[in-house]
Amino acid sequence: MTHESHTISNEVRPNLIKRPSALKKWWRLLIRSKTGTVGLIIVVTAIIIALLAPVLAPHNPAAINPANMLTPPVWMENGTTEHILGTDNLGRDILSRILYGSQVSLIVGVSSVVLAGIIGVTVGLIAGYFGGFIDSALMRLVDAFLAIPTILFALVILAVFEPSVFTLIIVLGITNWVAYARLVRSEALSIKERDFVRAAHSIGVSNFKIITRHLLPNVISSFIVISTLSVATTIILEASLSFLGLGVQPPTVSWGSILSDGRDYLATSWWLATFPGIAITVTVLGIIFLGDWLRDVLDPKSK
Amino acid sequence: MDSKKYYLLFLMSILVLVLAGCGGDEGTEEETGNADDPETTETEDSNGDVEDDSNGGAANSGSSDDRTLTIALGTDMVSFDIHDHVNTSTEAVHINMFNYLFKRDNDSGEIEPDLAEDYEVIDDTTWEITLKEGVLFHNGDELTSNDVKYTLERVADDSTLLEYINYEVIDEVEVIDDYTLRIHTETPDPALLNRISRIGSGILPADYIEEEGFDHFLQNPIGTGPFQFVEWVRDDRVVFEVYEDYFEGQNEEWDELVFRVIPENSTRVSELLTGGVDIATNMPPSEWDRIESSDSTYLAQEVSNRTMMVFVRHTEGYPTEDRRVREALDLAIDNQAITDNLLAGAGVPTITRVAPGNFGFAEHLYETYNYDLERARELLDEAGYPDGFEMTLHSPRGRYLQDAEIAEMIAGMWSQIGVTANVEFMEWSSFVDMRSAGENEDAYILALGNSMFDAANALDWYNYERFEGEIDYHNEEVEALLDEAAQNMDLEEREAQYIEAQELLAEDVAHPVLHQESINIGVNENIEYQPTMDEMIYVDTISRR
Amino acid sequence: MTIKFLLRKILQILLVLIIISFIVFGLVYVAGDPVALMLPDDASQEDVEILRESMGLNEPFIVQYGLYLLNMLQGDFGESYRYGQDAMSVVLDRLPATLELAIVSIILAIVVAVPLGVWSATKKNTSLDLVATGAAVIGKAMPNFWLGIMLILIFSVTLSIFPVSGRGTPAHVVLPAITLATGIAAEMTRLIRSSMVESLSQDYVRTARSKGLRSRMVIYKHAFRNSLIPVVTIIFLQTSTLVGGTLITETVFAWPGLGQLLIQAVNTRDMAIVQSSVFVIAILVILMNLIADLLYRVLDPRIKSK
């Protein structure tokens, strides 16, 4: 994600978030963009599904039923309306599992990105604003983290701490913060040289205030752009960790864990892995579309 | 070196493609699910695909002329240090290049001489063994008593070796002459023959190791077996070739033997189905249908020496401290439903850990189980849990056949008698750590093997001291029996003692026992192979059809 | 500037490597020792204690780390308990396999991504662009392991075109490389597209167009060349993602490289191997980033002026 910084950084951006009329403007921009609209619809739907999973799900996602193992989806031979998307190797209803799985996938995706964002933005602001020794020390730390592939990092940490929704959020959060730190640092570097910051500094406003009042609002928009895409990446990463046996553990379900559990059945009972796969793909598509649109809106250059 | 040339060629052709792609007009290909990508490279590769297997890659076997046997394993072998691993699948490979003094016959369960010619028990702690003459190591040296002395004393003396605990009972190996030796044990060991017909007993070439050093041996191991070492590319393959001067005659069937490592289940099955490998081990139940229904493969099964059990805490304060609770939990488990539904019928319900074929096997406790929900509820009521209770069940995931699924199913069965079991899955090493730290809670699932094929090993789990703080099972009657039997040289009496101990344990429902696992191996239709209970892969028993 | 710049870079890299060694050593230390894993399933606590003692694993963290760092400076990365040999040599043995896979993948990714990215940028906001973007997103959304297994089922089991797994002939590398390349190609396509969109909107390109130069000429000669710098950077910066992807791809295809080794090492707590391979990977990534950095400096005059 760091390379995004080349296209977005060093740019002065109007502060859209603070102006109330901005919302209306966004709405107009959104309707004009086909992909943006599609993205928003998908993301909103996914969130609604996650929130309403207990209401929507026809079955308990963890209830096993040996009599009903590997029932195919309703439109196939032997399928029943009882299990619209079929059942898995323990007779659990796949539709219900996917509905519930959306909760964990989205929570892990969003929370870990927020956590990464908080760490990254803080480190980036401090490094960029103070510069000097603090900057180079923090940047070496960033380099170190960048040089270790995320999945490898997660692998080692999760081998120590039992994988759960909570630990996954923490792990993905602390492995992904570097991208934000780099971006925010370069933003902060350019902003701090600008007149209003210098002015604030000269009349004795404290560092903390300058950072929170002046720097933070100015880096928020680029943060939003990267973080949307990061949510998508995280959802996929969670699936990969499930493949390695380090995703969420049963009875908790996530799309990644359903997909991973179904991989032994790809040749014989395709529906186990296909439906969660579709869920992931569609959601990621929606998030990326939304993210692209956000970038177009927030980055005047690419308009 | 051949592969390097090919590789260069391939890289160059790719490069040409790249240049063509950038310079030409083909910049408009679409990326839909990658269907295009193989086509762009396929023409460059197809010549290297099927015909060219000179590197021993995925040799397409199955044809009757093919004298290379390729076997796919799920994990790589660990080491050629036969004393420093405790890994059954490593031993399954070693068995083809080393020989033991004695070898257990899988059909009769008898332990028969292999490198040994004969043996005699001199007194309770002295065994005299004569060796076959004319047995040659792969470097041409003849096997003598000295090699046996070196091998057994190495593992009996060096406490850093992983097999040490199984051999420390051996005090000394005394060389009488080149072909006669005496094994002295510290205490009477009725199971000595079981002990030296398993992991760690493959006889090493003493002179070769002395001259070249052990590290050299590890890189260039030699033994007395039917196949000799060629190369080991870690996490990829171990290659052997037939040894012409094998003491029981050269293997007529195979010239080359390749063990390939393929960790992912579905990949291993795919290799089998496409003829890339002849035999594939550890086939998951989800794939059995596919293997059986294919014209080119079949599924070979055999019961294993591994028994899956639910180990419960007997520590004070845990509900399972009460015999009635344990019996209730056991009665609530429908063992047959587990083997039928999750193991597709492969797996034998039992109530003892000692499996058939082991010394001390109690037949009347095998192929049976107790299931009675009504009685289970009554017992819970009597024990003071009319509304059940909540407990934790730990389970490894992916370690044993369907382990996680079985744990979930058991939790489901227990919920029928009001017991809420929270299943916690753990990655294997964390699971091991948890146990060794004594942090396990009410219960955990484990499937235990027994390479000794002797009840002593299996029942050692019921000794209080051994798992103090982890299980805390304390049954003095059982322990007295086990202690006596361990050194009892009267084999008939010894067997009776073990059977009695098992009866006591079953009555006490020390730990609910689930079933004996099965070995499931996929085999190419052109090959005749029947797996054996000890999970070894004796290539001598594998033939072309 | 070059020598001073390089010296500073090297110093920074050394510092980064020490930080990495600390992070990884700390993590592996917390992960616990392999002793319990080395013993059979039914080993007792006592057995574990005996072995732990004999392996000298009861030293405190700082002592162990200090010793490790000292040895490392002398080029000794410790011994792998699983392989019984120098960990670094085990790791370096595996490196060629992974490099082969990585290089073929990256080339595949470039072959697909560059044309697709350029093409969809020139057709920006048409439905064709949408299809291309959609394809890229789907490529990105497919987890490696799923794609790998599917490719095996289609191209090996059903169509018998490629071997299922292992390494050997050139045909063996095709499916794993496609698996690994897909996600990266998708990412690249998107980045190239946005980079192209940017340069197509530059004034001089517009001027060239208005002067009546043929559209294709403009695209390739001016816009593409200009966006080449970020594209090259992007390719180099994918190293980390690429190496991360090999962990899973190698496992699916039984490819005997660094990725598989690492997963094994983590699962078996083979501390020395984990350390050494993370080190090698980190050096690779840092090296690639350094090259990207240098290229950037050489190719883009704007950086110098800063």
Side-chain angles (χ1 to χ4, degrees), chain B residues 165 432-433 435-437, chain C residues 33-40 43-55 57-58:
Chain B
I165 33 179
V432 176
D433 286 345
R435 278 179 48 216
S436 60
Chain C
D33 59 57
V35 166
L37 291 168
M38 294 158 73
L39 290 163
S44 70
Q45 289 172 32
E46 197 187 332
D47 301 336
V48 172
E49 233 4 86
I50 292 172
L51 186 66
R52 183 168 290 148
E53 198 67 44
S54 74
M55 286 178 73
L57 287 170
N58 286 335

Side-chain angles (χ1 to χ4, degrees), chain B residues 235-524:
Chain B
D235 281 333
D236 185 32
R237 66 187 61 223
V238 195
V239 183
F240 297 92
E241 64 184 11
V242 72
Y243 177 49
E244 286 155 19
D245 297 322
Y246 183 53
F247 73 98
E248 285 187 335
Q250 179 187 342
N251 184 303
E252 300 281 319
E253 204 72 40
W254 308 106
D255 292 340
E256 193 183 33
L257 173 59
V258 180
F259 289 93
R260 279 195 56 200
V261 185
I262 305 175
E264 179 62 18
N265 283 338
S266 66
T267 310
R268 212 157 55 246
V269 177
S270 296
E271 279 285 14
L272 177 74
L273 293 173
T274 55
V277 301
D278 300 302
I279 292 175
T281 61
N282 288 340
M283 297 284 97
S286 58
E287 305 281 9
W288 293 353
D289 268 354
R290 228 171 122 210
I291 296 166
E292 285 285 26
S293 63
S294 162
D295 289 338
S296 60
T297 56
Y298 68 96
L299 184 71
Q301 290 181 303
E302 175 62 83
V303 290
S304 81
N305 202 17
R306 210 170 261 287
T307 309
M308 187 172 264
M309 302 168 68
V310 181
F311 287 92
V312 295
R313 275 265 195 186
H314 294 255
T315 317
E316 225 181 303
Y318 286 90
T320 41
E321 178 198 6
D322 189 326
R323 199 203 81 93
R324 290 167 297 190
V325 173
R326 297 197 300 268
E327 188 176 1
L329 292 179
D330 188 39
L331 286 173
I333 299 173
D334 183 352
N335 304 37
Q336 191 75 45
I338 292 176
T339 54
D340 281 353
N341 290 309
L342 295 180
L343 303 175
V348 185
T350 173
I351 44 184
T352 177
R353 186 191 155 184
V354 183
N358 287 252
F359 183 87
F361 168 59
E363 197 165 3
H364 59 290
L365 298 176
Y366 183 69
E367 232 179 324
T368 176
Y369 65 103
N370 301 311
Y371 177 60
D372 186 344
L373 287 179
E374 210 40 54
R375 177 80 188 122
R377 287 193 196 102
E378 274 172 40
L379 281 163
L380 273 190
D381 208 23
E382 280 172 32
Y385 299 100
D387 304 319
F389 57 91
E390 202 171 327
M391 62 178 280
T392 303
L393 174 65
H394 282 112
S395 167
R397 225 176 149 210
R399 175 80 177 180
Y400 309 113
L401 213 55
Q402 302 283 84
D403 46 10
E405 287 80 0
I406 290 170
E408 289 196 59
M409 202 161 193
I410 287 175
M413 289 167 168
W414 283 347
S415 70
Q416 292 179 299
I417 57 165
V419 174
T420 310
N422 302 312
V423 186
E424 281 182 26
F425 295 97
M426 303 185 87
E427 187 243 342
W428 180 247
S429 52
S430 318
F431 187 84
V432 176
D433 286 345
M434 168 194 78
R435 278 179 48 216
S436 60
E439 283 164 1
N440 52 306
E441 293 183 42
D442 305 81
Y444 60 78
I445 283 181
L446 213 56
L448 296 170
N450 178 3
S451 64
M452 295 267 262
F453 281 85
D454 187 276
N457 221 25
L459 299 181
D460 198 33
W461 269 73
Y462 298 97
N463 269 321
Y464 172 68
E465 272 181 20
R466 181 149 181 201
F467 294 105
E468 195 181 345
E470 184 186 330
I471 286 179
D472 290 326
Y473 181 61
H474 205 1
N475 185 330
E476 278 162 13
E477 212 178 335
V478 170
E479 274 178 41
L481 276 169
L482 294 181
D483 284 350
E484 260 178 66
Q487 298 189 10
N488 191 345
M489 296 298 281
D490 178 344
L491 294 188
E492 232 166 275
E493 194 187 19
R494 183 170 184 258
E495 189 171 18
Q497 284 165 335
Y498 281 130
I499 291 175
E500 195 191 339
Q502 288 169 67
E503 282 164 356
L504 290 171
L505 289 167
E507 200 171 315
D508 202 18
V509 202
H511 302 291
V513 182
L514 300 176
H515 55 261
Q516 186 187 4
E517 281 196 350
S518 62
I519 302 168
N520 311 289
I521 294 185
V523 187
N524 190 296

Side-chain angles (χ1 to χ4, degrees), chain B residues 213-227:
Chain B
F214 207 84
D215 283 337
H216 180 85
F217 168 79
L218 289 181
Q219 305 304 318
N220 309 279
I222 58 169
T224 52
F227 290 88

Side-chain angles (χ1 to χ4, degrees), chain C residues 2-20:
Chain C
T2 351
I3 290 182
K4 210 173 155 199
F5 168 77
L6 272 178
L7 270 177
R8 217 185 65 217
K9 271 283 166 199
I10 289 171
L11 210 72
Q12 284 180 357
I13 289 171
L14 280 178
L15 209 69
V16 168
L17 286 177
I18 289 176
I19 297 174
I20 290 174

Side-chain angles (χ1 to χ4, degrees), chain B residues 106-219:
Chain B
N106 275 293
D107 294 328
S108 65
E110 296 294 317
I111 293 176
E112 284 160 2
D114 193 16
L115 289 179
E117 180 74 52
D118 205 357
Y119 75 98
E120 194 186 337
V121 185
I122 308 286
D123 60 50
D124 278 2
T125 58
T126 312
W127 300 61
E128 185 171 287
I129 293 168
T130 47
L131 296 176
K132 287 195 174 116
E133 294 184 23
V135 176
L136 299 181
F137 282 105
H138 299 148
N139 65 347
D141 288 356
E142 197 190 354
L143 172 93
T144 65
S145 305
N146 206 33
D147 298 307
V148 180
K149 180 181 169 69
Y150 169 78
T151 304
L152 294 182
E153 287 189 347
R154 175 170 184 260
V155 63
D157 292 342
D158 184 350
S159 65
T160 63
L161 294 170
L162 294 178
E163 269 299 328
Y164 167 75
I165 33 179
N166 287 318
Y167 287 88
E168 57 180 331
V169 70
I170 294 177
D171 183 34
E172 190 200 349
V173 178
E174 180 191 352
V175 175
I176 308 290
D177 60 42
D178 271 1
Y179 306 106
T180 317
L181 57 109
R182 281 183 182 180
I183 298 177
H184 299 278
T185 58
E186 281 168 6
T187 51
D189 182 19
L192 184 73
L193 290 188
N194 298 64
R195 199 176 297 287
I196 58 174
S197 57
R198 56 177 290 286
I199 301 181
S201 303
I203 301 302
L204 300 175
D207 292 342
Y208 176 75
I209 292 171
E210 233 156 74
E211 280 161 28
E212 309 278 352
F214 207 84
D215 283 337
H216 180 85
F217 168 79
L218 289 181
Q219 305 304 318

Side-chain angles (χ1 to χ4, degrees), chain A residues 219-253:
Chain A
V219 298
I220 277 280
S221 53
S222 39
F223 167 71
I224 289 176
V225 172
I226 303 200
S227 56
T228 24
L229 297 174
S230 235
V231 172
T233 321
T234 310
I235 290 175
I236 301 161
L237 193 62
E238 193 269 330
S240 298
L241 288 171
S242 283
F243 168 79
L244 298 171
L246 295 170
V248 292
Q249 303 292 309
T252 315
V253 282

Side-chain angles (χ1 to χ4, degrees), chain C residues 168-182:
Chain C
T169 65
H172 283 90
V173 80
V174 177
L175 294 185
I178 292 172
T179 308
L180 194 51
T182 303

